[in-house]
Amino acid sequence: MITRRETTRVRRVCVAAWGGAAVSWELSTPGMLVPSLATCAAFLLLATGCALHIRRGLLAELRRSQEIAGAAQRALLRPLPGRIDGLALAAAQLSASRGAAVGGDLYEAVPTAHGIRVVIGDVRGHGLPALGAAAAVLGAFREAAYDERSLGGVLRRMERALGRHVRDRARAEHPSACPAEPESPAAEEFVTVLLLQIAADGTLRALNCGHPWPYLIRPAPVPEPCAAGGRGSAQDPAPQWAAAPDPEPGPGERSPQRTVDVRPLDGETLPPLGVVPLPPVLRAHACGELRPGETLFLHTDGAEDARDCAGRFFPLRSVLARAPLTPARLVAGVHAALLRHTGGRLADDVALLVLRNERH
């Protein structure tokens, strides 16, 4: 993709080259000085007009490229709705490739008869070369999430879609070595995938293929105050999860510190898709529940693996403990902290997806 800086550089080179050639020719030719200077000025004006014409053409091409990239982004990572069946959602994606709006990370959340099904994944590599595998896997999920009764069936459909993409890519890159038979050599490409299913009662079931487990964020328990002068009794209610909304900070103020419990979900992890075939039996793993007022933070490994100039990893867990709980503000806060930590230079694509249970 052509950037504005490249457009400016091309224009300056054209003007300097044409103007230098014209001035050198005129000044080296015997004759009167005034006509030579007038001819030089005419050549410079002509060079400036040509450079402006080239600039307009390059800017038009840049706008067309940006429109195409935006259309590809909307088709692949279409904007998620703000709410799905009582769950508030927010997501963001950052590409490590300069000038690219999309990359190898993928995410989606859809309401089905079996609950809300969520996927987040990361294709080997980053930027535009990983776009094809991401589109194949995400397209298979969007179809299978509604049709398959189990998460295992959804994952198998995604594996078959990735296999077809890899074989087609291998044939396209090596046509002489890859005839039409299915046993043709395969390209080296795999995808880490996390599949989640959130039932109506908040129960979580998951299938994880080499992907980072999400974080469950919930407010710390606040005990009920005892009666004045009393020592409490056995009938005092148990601590409840405080889910008060975050107050908006004033001008120049920081967000107030909150006490929250941030812990990663855990369970059995399978190899990434494309490395080895899936096992014959796939059973989704029960990994707790998402209660009202609790938040689930999903991410790709580009977030926790991001480093600053001193080589320190991004402290994602501590950032989550200080960030607001509302999904949009949580995504924005982690996004800003990630860019500050890396100085705006990401080494890998990053995808963030937040779901908050706001059911009563």
Side-chain angles (χ1 to χ4, degrees):
M1 179 182 293
I2 301 173
T3 62
R4 288 184 178 272
R5 182 176 298 177
E6 293 169 348
T7 303
T8 304
R9 188 181 299 117
V10 170
R11 184 176 71 251
R12 289 175 179 174
V13 168
C14 291
V15 172
W18 196 326
V23 172
S24 300
W25 173 261
E26 287 297 330
L27 294 180
S28 61
T29 302
M32 299 183 66
L33 182 61
V34 174
S36 298
L37 292 178
T39 305
C40 290
F43 270 111
L44 289 176
L45 289 175
L46 182 60
T48 303
C50 292
L52 292 176
H53 177 73
I54 295 174
R55 177 179 181 271
R56 284 195 294 269
L58 291 177
L59 287 179
E61 183 178 352
L62 175 61
R63 284 192 294 268
R64 287 193 296 269
S65 300
Q66 291 175 338
E67 291 173 0
I68 293 172
Q73 183 181 24
R74 290 189 295 270
L76 180 62
L77 296 179
R78 56 194 181 193
L80 296 178
R83 294 180 66 88
I84 298 180
D85 292 346
L87 267 65
L89 291 86
Q93 199 266 353
L94 295 173
S95 177
S97 295
R98 178 183 174 186
V102 293
D105 290 349
L106 56 99
Y107 56 81
E108 182 62 288
V110 294
T112 70
H114 315 286
I116 299 176
R117 286 180 169 173
V118 182
V119 65
I120 186 168
D122 184 4
V123 180
R124 174 183 175 269
H126 61 268
L128 296 179
L131 192 59
V137 172
L138 194 54
F141 169 81
R142 286 170 174 164
E143 291 293 330
Y146 295 98
D147 302 334
E148 299 292 336
R149 296 176 57 87
S150 66
L151 284 182
V154 178
L155 189 60
R156 290 194 189 279
R157 294 264 294 268
M158 296 168 65
E159 182 191 37
R160 290 198 294 268
L162 177 63
R164 287 192 298 268
H165 165 76
V166 169
R167 288 193 296 270
D168 293 342
R169 177 180 170 182
R171 294 191 186 99
E173 292 180 351
H174 308 284
S176 60
C178 298
E181 67 268 11
E183 292 80 9
S184 59
E188 295 180 359
E189 199 157 33
F190 60 85
V191 185
T192 65
V193 169
L194 173 66
L195 283 178
L196 279 178
Q197 180 173 291
I198 307 173
D201 60 354
T203 303
L204 296 172
R205 302 187 69 84
L207 277 173
N208 191 336
C209 293
H211 197 82
W213 284 95
Y215 285 97
L216 181 64
I217 309 172
R218 54 188 180 184
V222 178
E224 293 290 336
C226 298
R231 300 172 57 189
S233 65
Q235 284 142 11
D236 288 338
Q240 302 293 324
W241 295 109
D246 302 314
E248 293 287 344
E253 299 180 357
R254 293 185 176 182
S255 298
Q257 296 294 322
R258 296 171 293 101
T259 303
V260 297
D261 177 24
V262 180
R263 64 179 181 89
L265 299 183
D266 196 6
E268 180 185 1
T269 302
L270 300 171
L273 286 183
V275 176
V276 295
L278 291 173
V281 179
L282 286 174
R283 291 189 177 92
H285 172 71
C287 51
E289 58 181 333
L290 184 65
R291 302 172 183 174
E294 296 180 350
T295 302
L296 201 60
F297 182 87
L298 291 77
H299 63 285
T300 55
D301 57 3
E304 289 183 314
D305 293 346
R307 301 193 186 198
D308 60 6
C309 58
R312 294 185 296 263
F313 288 102
F314 179 63
L316 178 59
R317 190 166 183 173
S318 61
V319 170
L320 293 177
R322 300 190 302 267
L325 287 179
T326 55
R329 294 173 60 192
L330 178 57
V331 167
V334 174
H335 183 180
L338 186 61
L339 292 179
R340 284 196 303 268
H341 182 79
T342 61
R345 298 182 297 272
L346 295 175
D348 194 7
D349 299 332
V350 177
L352 310 175
L353 175 60
V354 177
L355 302 98
R356 177 178 170 87
N357 190 347
E358 297 184 348
R359 297 166 177 165
H360 298 290

Short mmCIF file of all heavy atoms in Angstrom, two decimals, residues 14-15 18-27 33-51:
data_model
loop_
_atom_site.label_atom_id
_atom_site.label_comp_id
_atom_site.label_asym_id
_atom_site.label_seq_id
_atom_site.Cartn_x
_atom_site.Cartn_y
_atom_site.Cartn_z
N CYS A 14 10.93 13.74 -8.19
CA CYS A 14 10.62 14.15 -9.56
C CYS A 14 10.96 15.63 -9.79
O CYS A 14 11.58 16.00 -10.80
CB CYS A 14 9.14 13.89 -9.85
SG CYS A 14 8.70 12.15 -9.96
N VAL A 15 10.54 16.49 -8.85
CA VAL A 15 10.81 17.92 -9.01
C VAL A 15 12.31 18.19 -8.98
O VAL A 15 12.84 18.96 -9.81
CB VAL A 15 10.08 18.71 -7.90
CG1 VAL A 15 10.50 20.18 -7.93
CG2 VAL A 15 8.58 18.58 -8.06
N TRP A 18 14.03 16.81 -12.36
CA TRP A 18 13.71 17.61 -13.54
C TRP A 18 14.33 19.02 -13.44
O TRP A 18 14.93 19.54 -14.38
CB TRP A 18 12.21 17.69 -13.72
CG TRP A 18 11.79 18.17 -15.09
CD1 TRP A 18 12.42 19.08 -15.88
CD2 TRP A 18 10.66 17.75 -15.82
NE1 TRP A 18 11.75 19.26 -17.05
CE2 TRP A 18 10.64 18.45 -17.03
CE3 TRP A 18 9.62 16.86 -15.55
CZ2 TRP A 18 9.64 18.29 -17.98
CZ3 TRP A 18 8.62 16.69 -16.49
CH2 TRP A 18 8.65 17.39 -17.71
N GLY A 19 14.16 19.64 -12.27
CA GLY A 19 14.71 20.98 -12.10
C GLY A 19 16.22 21.00 -12.19
O GLY A 19 16.81 21.89 -12.81
N GLY A 20 16.89 20.01 -11.59
CA GLY A 20 18.35 19.97 -11.67
C GLY A 20 18.84 19.77 -13.09
O GLY A 20 19.82 20.42 -13.52
N ALA A 21 18.18 18.90 -13.84
CA ALA A 21 18.59 18.68 -15.22
C ALA A 21 18.39 19.94 -16.07
O ALA A 21 19.25 20.31 -16.89
CB ALA A 21 17.79 17.52 -15.81
N ALA A 22 17.24 20.63 -15.86
CA ALA A 22 16.97 21.83 -16.66
C ALA A 22 17.97 22.95 -16.35
O ALA A 22 18.51 23.60 -17.24
CB ALA A 22 15.54 22.30 -16.39
N VAL A 23 18.23 23.18 -15.05
CA VAL A 23 19.16 24.24 -14.67
C VAL A 23 20.57 23.94 -15.15
O VAL A 23 21.29 24.80 -15.68
CB VAL A 23 19.12 24.45 -13.14
CG1 VAL A 23 20.23 25.41 -12.70
CG2 VAL A 23 17.76 24.98 -12.71
N SER A 24 20.98 22.69 -15.00
CA SER A 24 22.33 22.31 -15.45
C SER A 24 22.48 22.49 -16.96
O SER A 24 23.51 22.99 -17.45
CB SER A 24 22.63 20.86 -15.06
OG SER A 24 22.56 20.70 -13.67
N TRP A 25 21.46 22.11 -17.71
CA TRP A 25 21.53 22.24 -19.16
C TRP A 25 21.60 23.70 -19.58
O TRP A 25 22.39 24.09 -20.44
CB TRP A 25 20.32 21.57 -19.79
CG TRP A 25 20.22 21.81 -21.27
CD1 TRP A 25 19.44 22.74 -21.90
CD2 TRP A 25 20.93 21.13 -22.30
NE1 TRP A 25 19.59 22.68 -23.26
CE2 TRP A 25 20.53 21.69 -23.54
CE3 TRP A 25 21.87 20.11 -22.30
CZ2 TRP A 25 21.02 21.26 -24.75
CZ3 TRP A 25 22.36 19.68 -23.51
CH2 TRP A 25 21.95 20.25 -24.73
N GLU A 26 20.75 24.54 -19.00
CA GLU A 26 20.69 25.93 -19.41
C GLU A 26 21.95 26.69 -19.02
O GLU A 26 22.46 27.51 -19.77
CB GLU A 26 19.46 26.61 -18.82
CG GLU A 26 18.15 26.19 -19.47
CD GLU A 26 18.07 26.57 -20.92
OE1 GLU A 26 18.68 27.59 -21.30
OE2 GLU A 26 17.44 25.84 -21.69
N LEU A 27 22.43 26.47 -17.81
CA LEU A 27 23.61 27.20 -17.36
C LEU A 27 24.88 26.74 -18.07
O LEU A 27 25.86 27.50 -18.16
CB LEU A 27 23.76 27.05 -15.84
CG LEU A 27 22.67 27.71 -15.00
CD1 LEU A 27 22.94 27.51 -13.53
CD2 LEU A 27 22.53 29.20 -15.33
N LEU A 33 22.51 35.38 -19.92
CA LEU A 33 22.07 34.84 -18.63
C LEU A 33 20.57 34.98 -18.42
O LEU A 33 19.92 34.06 -17.93
CB LEU A 33 22.83 35.56 -17.51
CG LEU A 33 22.51 35.08 -16.09
CD1 LEU A 33 22.86 33.62 -15.92
CD2 LEU A 33 23.27 35.95 -15.07
N VAL A 34 19.98 36.15 -18.81
CA VAL A 34 18.56 36.37 -18.54
C VAL A 34 17.67 35.37 -19.28
O VAL A 34 16.77 34.76 -18.68
CB VAL A 34 18.18 37.82 -18.88
CG1 VAL A 34 16.68 38.03 -18.74
CG2 VAL A 34 18.94 38.79 -17.99
N PRO A 35 17.86 35.16 -20.59
CA PRO A 35 17.04 34.13 -21.25
C PRO A 35 17.24 32.74 -20.64
O PRO A 35 16.29 31.95 -20.55
CB PRO A 35 17.50 34.19 -22.70
CG PRO A 35 18.06 35.56 -22.87
CD PRO A 35 18.70 35.88 -21.57
N SER A 36 18.46 32.44 -20.22
CA SER A 36 18.69 31.14 -19.61
C SER A 36 17.92 30.99 -18.30
O SER A 36 17.32 29.94 -18.02
CB SER A 36 20.20 30.94 -19.35
OG SER A 36 20.92 30.96 -20.55
N LEU A 37 17.93 32.06 -17.48
CA LEU A 37 17.17 31.99 -16.24
C LEU A 37 15.67 31.89 -16.50
O LEU A 37 14.95 31.17 -15.78
CB LEU A 37 17.47 33.23 -15.39
CG LEU A 37 18.90 33.32 -14.83
CD1 LEU A 37 19.07 34.62 -14.03
CD2 LEU A 37 19.20 32.11 -13.95
N ALA A 38 15.19 32.59 -17.52
CA ALA A 38 13.77 32.48 -17.85
C ALA A 38 13.42 31.06 -18.29
O ALA A 38 12.37 30.52 -17.92
CB ALA A 38 13.42 33.48 -18.95
N THR A 39 14.30 30.46 -19.08
CA THR A 39 14.04 29.09 -19.51
C THR A 39 14.07 28.14 -18.31
O THR A 39 13.26 27.21 -18.22
CB THR A 39 15.09 28.66 -20.54
OG1 THR A 39 15.11 29.60 -21.62
CG2 THR A 39 14.80 27.28 -21.08
N CYS A 40 14.98 28.37 -17.38
CA CYS A 40 15.03 27.54 -16.16
C CYS A 40 13.74 27.65 -15.37
O CYS A 40 13.20 26.66 -14.86
CB CYS A 40 16.22 27.96 -15.29
SG CYS A 40 17.83 27.53 -16.00
N ALA A 41 13.24 28.89 -15.23
CA ALA A 41 11.98 29.08 -14.49
C ALA A 41 10.83 28.35 -15.18
O ALA A 41 9.98 27.74 -14.51
CB ALA A 41 11.69 30.57 -14.36
N ALA A 42 10.81 28.40 -16.52
CA ALA A 42 9.75 27.71 -17.24
C ALA A 42 9.83 26.20 -17.01
O ALA A 42 8.81 25.52 -16.80
CB ALA A 42 9.83 28.03 -18.73
N PHE A 43 11.06 25.66 -17.05
CA PHE A 43 11.24 24.23 -16.81
C PHE A 43 10.80 23.86 -15.39
O PHE A 43 10.17 22.82 -15.17
CB PHE A 43 12.70 23.84 -17.04
CG PHE A 43 13.00 23.44 -18.44
CD1 PHE A 43 13.79 24.25 -19.25
CD2 PHE A 43 12.49 22.26 -18.98
CE1 PHE A 43 14.07 23.89 -20.56
CE2 PHE A 43 12.76 21.89 -20.28
CZ PHE A 43 13.55 22.71 -21.09
N LEU A 44 11.13 24.71 -14.42
CA LEU A 44 10.74 24.42 -13.04
C LEU A 44 9.22 24.45 -12.87
O LEU A 44 8.65 23.62 -12.15
CB LEU A 44 11.40 25.42 -12.09
CG LEU A 44 12.91 25.26 -11.90
CD1 LEU A 44 13.45 26.37 -11.01
CD2 LEU A 44 13.23 23.90 -11.29
N LEU A 45 8.56 25.41 -13.50
CA LEU A 45 7.09 25.44 -13.43
C LEU A 45 6.49 24.20 -14.06
O LEU A 45 5.53 23.62 -13.55
CB LEU A 45 6.58 26.70 -14.12
CG LEU A 45 6.84 28.03 -13.39
CD1 LEU A 45 6.36 29.20 -14.25
CD2 LEU A 45 6.13 28.04 -12.04
N LEU A 46 7.06 23.78 -15.21
CA LEU A 46 6.56 22.57 -15.84
C LEU A 46 6.77 21.35 -14.97
O LEU A 46 5.89 20.48 -14.84
CB LEU A 46 7.25 22.39 -17.19
CG LEU A 46 6.82 21.18 -18.03
CD1 LEU A 46 5.33 21.26 -18.36
CD2 LEU A 46 7.63 21.10 -19.31
N ALA A 47 7.95 21.28 -14.30
CA ALA A 47 8.22 20.15 -13.41
C ALA A 47 7.28 20.14 -12.22
O ALA A 47 6.79 19.09 -11.79
CB ALA A 47 9.67 20.21 -12.93
N THR A 48 6.97 21.35 -11.69
CA THR A 48 6.05 21.43 -10.56
C THR A 48 4.66 20.97 -10.96
O THR A 48 3.98 20.23 -10.22
CB THR A 48 5.99 22.86 -10.02
OG1 THR A 48 7.31 23.28 -9.66
CG2 THR A 48 5.08 22.96 -8.82
N GLY A 49 4.18 21.37 -12.15
CA GLY A 49 2.88 20.92 -12.62
C GLY A 49 2.83 19.41 -12.80
O GLY A 49 1.84 18.76 -12.42
N CYS A 50 3.88 18.84 -13.37
CA CYS A 50 3.91 17.37 -13.53
C CYS A 50 3.92 16.67 -12.17
O CYS A 50 3.26 15.64 -11.98
CB CYS A 50 5.13 16.97 -14.34
SG CYS A 50 5.08 17.49 -16.07
N ALA A 51 4.67 17.23 -11.21
CA ALA A 51 4.72 16.62 -9.89
C ALA A 51 3.36 16.67 -9.20
O ALA A 51 2.94 15.71 -8.55
CB ALA A 51 5.77 17.32 -9.04
#
